[in-house]
Amino acid sequence: MALRLAASPLAMSRSTPSLRMAAALRSSTSLNARVYFHASRSTAAAGDSPADVTEVYKAVAYKNIPPNQVHGSYHWDFERLLTVSMIPLFAVSAINGAHPITDGLLGVVVPIHAHMGFDAMVTDYLHPGKVGVFGNKAISWTLRGATLLVLVGCYQFNTADVGLTELVKKAWTA
């Protein structure tokens, strides 16, 4: 109400400069327009914003990744399917004991599940804005190499040794 009274022509002639500026701000801005409170009095009263105000709020200079369906909902569905499939695999291995098929599936599903979890951690906390593009690439490729080594190790352990289920059984009873 005070701003409405201050905006009237009669009040404008008898008011202080701060009231005139507030009235000019109110009358020059619409409901959805931006008001730059840090602008100088002359530009704020005129309703114009200085050109350098928008320069401060520019986006960070790294590239935005375009949306991709494979990395979007399909990726999420695959993660959930992989996670849910581990429940019956562990149950079958616990009930029936060691079997080459369940050991082979566990040797693939568990490392890929761990890889997806660590990849989500790298994406969320070690992004290019924090560690740089080269650091992010180095971490991602190190994770991929470690996952490949774990997959090869699980294969070797399942084919040349007792298998993952028997290893867990021996470690449990030891």
Side-chain angles (χ1 to χ4, degrees):
M1 184 71 181
L3 283 177
R4 287 186 186 160
L5 291 175
S8 69
L10 182 62
M12 289 292 275
S13 63
R14 289 184 266 163
S15 63
T16 62
S18 60
L19 280 177
R20 281 194 300 269
M21 187 178 85
L25 270 175
R26 185 185 178 285
S27 64
S28 68
T29 59
S30 67
L31 203 51
N32 294 326
R34 292 183 188 169
V35 177
Y36 297 99
F37 290 106
H38 56 280
S40 67
R41 283 186 177 200
S42 62
T43 56
D48 299 327
S49 62
D52 61 322
V53 171
T54 56
E55 297 293 321
V56 177
Y57 300 109
K58 285 203 173 190
V60 180
Y62 59 88
K63 184 173 78 171
N64 286 337
I65 300 169
N68 186 354
Q69 186 71 19
V70 174
H71 199 269
S73 64
Y74 294 149
H75 185 263
W76 188 87
D77 291 340
F78 181 70
E79 282 181 350
R80 298 304 166 254
L81 179 71
L82 197 70
T83 304
V84 169
S85 71
M86 289 189 342
I87 297 169
L89 277 175
F90 284 128
V92 166
S93 294
I95 293 170
N96 292 339
H99 192 273
I101 293 175
T102 56
D103 282 346
L105 288 173
L106 282 173
V108 171
V109 170
V110 172
I112 291 177
H113 174 74
H115 172 81
M116 289 178 132
F118 282 118
D119 189 44
M121 188 256 329
V122 168
T123 302
D124 290 344
Y125 300 112
L126 301 173
H127 52 84
K130 182 170 271 198
V131 296
V133 175
F134 178 75
N136 182 270
K137 295 281 185 192
I139 292 168
S140 295
W141 280 104
T142 302
L143 176 63
R144 291 175 187 139
T147 303
L148 184 66
L149 287 176
V150 169
L151 285 168
V152 169
C154 286
Y155 173 77
Q156 290 292 328
F157 195 79
N158 282 333
T159 56
D161 209 341
V162 293
L164 293 174
T165 307
E166 196 64 34
L167 171 73
V168 171
K169 183 178 174 185
K170 286 182 179 181
W172 194 273
T173 56

